[in-house]
Amino acid sequence: DPVPPSPPSLARQAMRVGAIAGLEEYNETFSKFPSFDPRNDWRIRPQVKHKFSSENRVNDPAKPAIFRHEMIPSMQLVMCAKLPVKPIKSKEDLRDFVLNRLVVACLGWSLTSKVRPNPPLTGIEFDHSDSMSESCAVTTLKLYSRPYEWQDTLSVALKDVRRAYKRGFTQPELDCMINSMLADSKQAAQQAANIPSAEIVASLLEAELLGHTFMDFNYYHNLLEDVTRTITLEDVNSRAQELLEYIARYGQEDSPVPAAILACVPQGPEGTEALVDIEPVSIQQELMKLPDEDEFDDEVEALEELIPEETLREYQKIQKPEWQEFQPGVARKKDKATGIIMRQLSNGIKVNIKQTDNTPNTISIAAVSPGGLSRETTEHPGSVKLGVQAIMQGGTFGNYTREMVDLFSMRKLMNINFGVNLESITWDLTAPTETTDDLLQFLMLVYSDMRWNQESFESAKELFNSNYDVITKSLEMQTADMLVRAVANDDARFWGPPPEVINNLSIEVVQKELEAQLCTENLEVSIVGDFDLKELEASVLKYLGSIPAKKAPTPLYQPDIIHIKSDPSRQHQRIELPDDQKRAIGYLTGSAPNRWGYSADAQVATREKGFWSFAKPSKSDDEDSVKRRSHPMFAPACIELIEKMVSTELYSYLRDSLSLVYHTKFEVGVNERLPTNDWLIVINSEHQNVERAVNEASKCLRNVRFSPHMLQSSKRSVQHFHESESASDAYWINMLRGLQDDSIAEKKVEAIAEYQNLIQEITLEDVREMWKLFLTSEKDVFTCVGVSGG
């Protein structure tokens, strides 16, 4: 059945054809020119003549082109094929489009699963999509690796591509991708009312330029359900042969010729030869190598659940799931103003819940374990950071392989991120609401049965070393790295860490350091989204309540981490990197209070009386001031206003008055638990102006004058931010984090609803007094300037 035509498509064609023919009536236009398409009117623009790979078959393989530059940190290889665009006008056209997307999804998942256990590979991407800029469909294979391991990169990638070309995919893989595609389409249809107009207009423009029919999200989802029922494994494998032939049969007789093969490789400094000599003929030889028949991998088992009922019962014999009472008869706390619910499990896990309809059929979960990098010792710097990377690279959970868990999470549309900062380790998870149990099962495995292997550990080390090479060739990253090293006096817990530090760490040390922080006693889980509260609480109790109790390590952070002294001999640094283009960047930093106003470096304020008292004798200890400064959110409110006011002052002075910068911004660090923090200014400027801009920024900080106009403008900006962002689940996740964290005692649920009103009550004197906690004197400010191409 034909897809209903898009009204904008008809209107645009009618206007164009009518204008050319001098016709006025809409119906007359289409009666005289029923099949005219203005995209093919070459009087308006020159015609692009393509050499499509499917039609360009010769026995002479395309030769790779090589681009060399000394600032390129790694080997990058791109292999492209061009195909004609197939406009989506009917169900059959849509079916053809879906076949292409299923091939991309199946192969993309398979290639991604090969990246983690193979250290040479830092990334593999495969895509097939219609390109507006190229006016054709482009199939692309991209690979990234360190230059001296590029043969291994090609070997791993080509092996998987040729497996898909020769053997095809498996039924479980296809079923998983179809389910993921339908779930994604269903979620998009449910959230259609929340999609920004700009995105819809961009999609409409793309559809018009490519000749596709623009469809309503619900209508598209219904069509997609109909189309996927007709797709078989043979259909997908046949399409895979068409799309992958230019790679799998490269150099063979009558094979499609790639449109381009481009390798970007590092060049030695100042035009000298690179450490690894990569020539076009060697790339051709690697591309034409064929794998042995027995080298193909076995198929991955598709899981239906991560924790079967019998396994769950075994856990519950060790840890009986129960809700803990805050006080006799009170097992749940609910804030009426915000709707936030707080609960605690008997194993120590704290749970914060808020229902929203911001994103229909979506649930977001943040599991936060306090500690993070601040628990690393000087004997084993980088251990926690390396441990997080090792788990992301190839950590396994329960009795399942990493590929099984990855396939499961992809089928369930589970978006999982594992990260670490100075104060905590965090799991961020997002998925459709119907997969809530799957998310909680995953968290249960993380905190009860996470397993390590030497292969993924070595892979993480390799990736760290590769990233360190990237830092040394990036102007922005190298400049920032030099600044951090000076401020931290080369303490490896704060920068890099360099290869010599990473290579000295053993898997036993890293596992001990990381797992010590993954405990239930101080674990806080925040849940926001569109769900049934009763069902959610039952699932949380069932799975998270069954995690065996585990005590938190002490102390929360290493005591020496807040007493590190900066290196005064490196207070002002400059670095020059070679490049063809002149670029420049500058950084300034200094000490600041944490987000709750506490600082180990600037003891000029106290809260011992229950409110913030700055000067002695205080000029503002009147009743209103005491009430305002007693509010738990007083310090966060002042600091957020200071960020806006100082950023505005810097931008106005450096750009509008002196014309020295493109952009600049003042930011305060996010530390909430540590009694230390920092502020940072980034200067984007021209090559010849950057040093003066950095000096003027430092002077501006020392002489900043907070005016009533600046305060009112910042209040409006902050107010607008909170009003607009409160319509997102990510905003509420951040609001919920720390509500039951004993190390952030000031964060109270009843104060959240009062925050925006408190912002309006902050006075200039409040801001000026809080600003005294920021160290901005000439001896306290550290700077680093980076330039290239000069």
Side-chain angles (χ1 to χ4, degrees):
D1 298 330
V3 176
S6 162
S9 173
L10 297 177
R12 286 174 63 87
Q13 292 195 33
M15 287 188 292
R16 170 58 61 190
V17 178
I20 293 174
L23 302 176
E24 296 180 356
E25 295 296 328
Y26 181 90
N27 293 332
E28 186 180 0
T29 298
F30 280 94
S31 65
K32 289 185 177 293
F33 301 94
S35 61
F36 183 80
D37 188 341
R39 286 176 291 266
N40 296 327
D41 184 6
W42 309 123
R43 294 172 297 176
I44 299 174
R45 62 177 182 178
Q47 182 175 6
V48 178
K49 297 185 182 296
H50 295 286
K51 282 189 177 180
F52 295 120
S53 299
S54 57
E55 302 168 359
N56 185 22
R57 295 174 178 267
V58 295
N59 294 329
D60 184 24
K63 295 181 179 179
I66 295 183
F67 173 73
R68 305 179 192 273
H69 197 279
E70 53 195 293
M71 294 304 294
I72 295 176
S74 61
M75 164 79 169
Q76 304 174 39
L77 182 66
V78 182
M79 199 172 181
C80 302
K82 294 165 70 173
L83 295 169
V85 173
K86 295 183 178 179
I88 301 176
K89 299 292 186 183
S90 65
K91 267 190 178 181
E92 190 59 37
D93 296 333
L94 181 61
R95 184 178 187 276
D96 193 77
F97 168 80
V98 171
L99 284 174
N100 291 337
R101 299 316 303 166
L102 287 172
V103 172
V104 170
C106 290
L107 183 59
W109 171 82
S110 182
L111 289 172
T112 300
S113 67
K114 301 300 186 296
V115 172
R116 293 193 184 95
N118 290 277
L121 290 170
T122 56
I124 311 177
E125 300 173 9
F126 176 77
D127 186 42
H128 172 87
S129 57
D130 298 333
S131 171
M132 290 191 295
S133 59
E134 302 297 332
S135 68
C136 64
V138 181
T139 305
T140 309
L141 178 68
K142 295 181 183 179
L143 307 100
Y144 311 88
S145 79
R146 291 187 291 184
Y148 51 86
E149 291 169 331
W150 67 273
Q151 291 99 332
D152 295 326
T153 301
L154 275 178
S155 175
V156 172
L158 292 177
K159 172 185 171 183
D160 221 46
V161 169
R162 285 172 176 144
R163 187 270 302 174
Y165 175 79
K166 187 170 183 179
R167 295 188 177 183
F169 306 108
T170 64
Q171 192 64 50
E173 287 177 320
L174 177 59
D175 292 341
C176 172
M177 299 310 154
I178 288 178
N179 290 336
S180 296
M181 184 178 289
L182 289 174
D184 190 38
S185 173
K186 178 183 177 181
Q187 193 172 37
Q190 292 172 331
Q191 299 172 7
N194 297 335
I195 297 176
S197 299
E199 291 186 19
I200 295 177
V201 171
S203 300
L204 175 59
L205 177 61
E206 181 179 7
E208 286 299 298
L209 290 175
L210 295 171
H212 297 323
T213 299
F214 182 79
M215 289 173 273
D216 170 79
F217 289 99
N218 287 284
Y219 182 70
Y220 173 79
H221 177 66
N222 293 333
L223 281 179
L224 190 62
E225 287 184 318
D226 293 341
V227 165
T228 51
R229 294 190 192 100
T230 70
I231 291 177
T232 65
L233 182 62
E234 290 73 21
D235 294 332
V236 175
N237 289 338
S238 176
R239 181 55 53 87
Q241 289 187 332
E242 296 176 21
L243 295 181
L244 302 178
E245 186 180 10
Y246 82 101
I247 304 172
R249 295 189 62 243
Y250 174 80
Q252 299 180 29
E253 185 176 353
D254 197 37
S255 60
V257 178
I261 305 174
L262 175 63
C264 299
V265 299
Q267 175 69 46
E270 299 181 359
T272 60
E273 290 188 6
L275 296 176
V276 180
D277 186 26
I278 302 175
E279 297 297 333
V281 63
S282 57
I283 295 177
Q284 274 190 315
Q285 291 172 351
E286 292 296 325
L287 285 172
M288 288 189 287
K289 282 185 179 179
L290 298 177
D292 296 332
E293 189 68 24
D294 58 356
E295 288 187 7
F296 295 117
D297 298 328
D298 296 329
E299 65 181 72
V300 178
E301 179 185 351
L303 300 174
E304 292 301 322
E305 57 185 352
L306 294 176
I307 300 182
E309 285 297 324
E310 56 270 22
T311 304
L312 183 64
R313 285 193 290 270
E314 293 299 319
Y315 274 102
Q316 291 175 347
K317 291 178 182 178
I318 302 172
Q319 179 68 49
K320 184 179 179 181
E322 293 179 328
W323 292 113
Q324 189 80 23
E325 292 185 342
F326 293 96
Q327 59 192 54
V330 181
R332 176 197 283 111
K333 290 183 179 179
K334 182 173 182 178
D335 180 59
K336 294 181 179 180
T338 59
I340 294 173
I341 295 171
M342 298 190 298
R343 305 206 68 172
Q344 294 184 1
L345 291 162
S346 57
N347 55 10
I349 297 177
K350 285 83 173 175
V351 183
N352 306 316
I353 303 172
K354 179 171 174 59
Q355 286 180 288
T356 73
D357 56 2
N358 295 330
T359 310
N361 192 41
T362 300
I363 185 170
S364 298
I365 300 177
V368 180
S369 294
L373 303 180
S374 62
R375 275 201 50 80
E376 291 183 345
T377 63
T378 53
E379 291 77 21
H380 303 298
S383 55
V384 175
K385 193 180 295 184
L386 179 60
V388 169
Q389 188 62 56
I391 295 302
M392 291 300 291
Q393 284 290 106
T396 57
F397 309 94
N399 295 318
Y400 310 120
T401 66
R402 180 54 178 266
E403 290 75 19
M404 293 166 68
V405 176
D406 285 347
L407 187 63
F408 176 82
S409 62
M410 179 173 290
R411 188 177 55 146
K412 301 288 187 176
L413 290 185
M414 294 163 53
N415 185 11
I416 301 172
N417 290 300
F418 185 28
V420 61
N421 59 26
L422 194 59
E423 295 189 317
S424 63
I425 296 173
T426 304
W427 287 93
D428 288 309
L429 308 97
T430 306
T433 302
E434 57 265 22
T435 62
T436 298
D437 282 6
D438 302 308
L439 289 176
L440 296 175
Q441 287 178 20
F442 176 80
L443 270 183
M444 183 177 175
L445 284 180
V446 166
Y447 282 86
S448 62
D449 198 6
M450 184 167 64
R451 304 186 183 184
W452 299 68
N453 63 76
Q454 191 68 36
E455 186 179 25
S456 64
F457 180 71
E458 294 301 325
S459 175
K461 281 187 173 182
E462 293 280 357
L463 185 59
F464 259 97
N465 294 337
S466 296
N467 291 340
Y468 190 78
D469 292 339
V470 173
I471 291 175
T472 61
K473 293 189 176 183
S474 166
L475 178 66
E476 294 78 10
M477 297 173 70
Q478 176 76 319
T479 306
D481 195 58
M482 287 182 63
L483 181 67
V484 172
R485 291 182 63 175
V487 173
N489 206 359
D490 292 325
D491 191 318
R493 291 175 292 181
F494 292 90
W495 64 283
E500 57 268 22
V501 171
I502 290 297
N503 293 335
N504 286 334
L505 293 171
S506 66
I507 190 172
E508 292 79 16
V509 168
V510 170
Q511 181 177 357
K512 179 182 177 182
E513 291 289 335
L514 183 63
E515 289 189 351
Q517 298 190 40
L518 298 180
C519 52
T520 61
E521 184 181 18
N522 60 0
L523 172 62
E524 184 182 48
V525 179
S526 300
I527 307 174
V528 177
D530 176 25
F531 47 75
D532 180 272
L533 181 59
K534 191 173 182 179
E535 292 178 359
L536 175 68
E537 289 187 332
S539 295
V540 168
L541 178 63
K542 179 179 179 180
Y543 295 110
L544 299 189
S546 301
I547 300 175
K550 182 180 177 182
K551 289 286 185 180
T554 55
L556 179 64
Y557 53 83
Q558 298 299 330
D560 68 318
I561 206 162
I562 62 174
H563 299 298
I564 295 173
K565 300 299 181 183
S566 303
D567 182 1
S569 66
R570 291 181 285 173
Q571 185 177 1
H572 304 293
Q573 301 181 89
R574 176 187 170 94
I575 183 175
E576 295 185 14
L577 295 180
D579 199 351
D580 296 336
Q581 183 181 5
K582 289 185 176 182
R583 296 185 300 126
I585 193 162
Y587 295 101
L588 300 88
T589 191
S591 295
N594 71 10
R595 282 287 171 169
W596 298 95
Y598 297 105
S599 173
D601 301 309
Q603 299 293 349
V604 296
T606 178
R607 203 177 178 181
E608 294 177 358
K609 303 175 185 178
F611 64 92
W612 284 96
S613 177
F614 296 94
K616 292 185 178 181
S618 177
K619 299 178 181 179
S620 56
D621 285 356
D622 56 89
E623 185 177 344
D624 290 339
S625 295
V626 170
K627 180 181 178 182
R628 184 176 62 256
R629 294 183 179 184
S630 300
H631 196 284
M633 306 293 282
F634 172 78
C638 285
I639 291 173
E640 188 169 8
L641 288 171
I642 284 173
E643 277 188 302
K644 294 292 182 183
M645 296 171 77
V646 176
S647 289
T648 301
E649 179 76 357
L650 280 170
Y651 190 84
S652 175
Y653 179 63
L654 296 179
R655 179 178 171 84
D656 298 342
S657 299
L658 301 180
S659 300
L660 291 177
V661 302
Y662 302 125
H663 184 71
T664 185
K665 189 176 183 180
F666 176 84
E667 295 180 327
V668 182
V670 297
N671 290 354
E672 294 185 285
R673 300 171 180 85
L674 295 173
T676 183
N677 206 5
D678 57 61
W679 56 261
L680 177 70
I681 296 176
V682 182
I683 301 286
N684 299 108
S685 177
E686 290 184 341
H687 194 273
Q688 67 274 15
N689 293 333
V690 63
E691 291 201 53
R692 185 187 169 199
V694 168
N695 292 332
E696 293 294 340
S698 183
K699 292 179 185 177
C700 182
L701 280 184
R702 293 194 296 273
N703 300 300
V704 63
R705 287 179 172 83
F706 299 108
S707 66
H709 172 74
M710 288 172 61
L711 179 59
Q712 292 306 315
S713 176
S714 297
K715 285 181 177 181
R716 288 193 297 270
S717 178
V718 171
Q719 191 85 11
H720 175 73
F721 169 80
H722 286 279
E723 288 175 354
S724 59
E725 290 299 310
S726 61
S728 73
D729 288 350
Y731 173 88
W732 285 106
I733 283 285
N734 287 328
M735 287 290 114
L736 265 58
R737 286 180 179 177
L739 284 179
Q740 298 189 69
D741 190 335
D742 295 337
S743 60
I744 313 178
E746 289 81 3
K747 192 164 188 178
K748 303 182 183 299
V749 65
E750 58 270 15
I752 292 179
E754 302 167 359
Y755 184 68
Q756 294 188 43
N757 290 332
L758 177 65
I759 288 285
Q760 300 304 318
E761 296 174 5
I762 299 297
T763 67
L764 268 181
E765 185 179 359
D766 294 333
V767 171
R768 287 167 180 161
E769 295 294 344
M770 186 63 71
W771 177 243
K772 293 178 181 179
L773 277 70
F774 290 75
L775 301 188
T776 59
S777 67
E778 196 168 351
K779 66 180 179 62
D780 294 319
V781 176
F782 277 67
T783 68
C784 191
V785 170
V787 296
S788 65

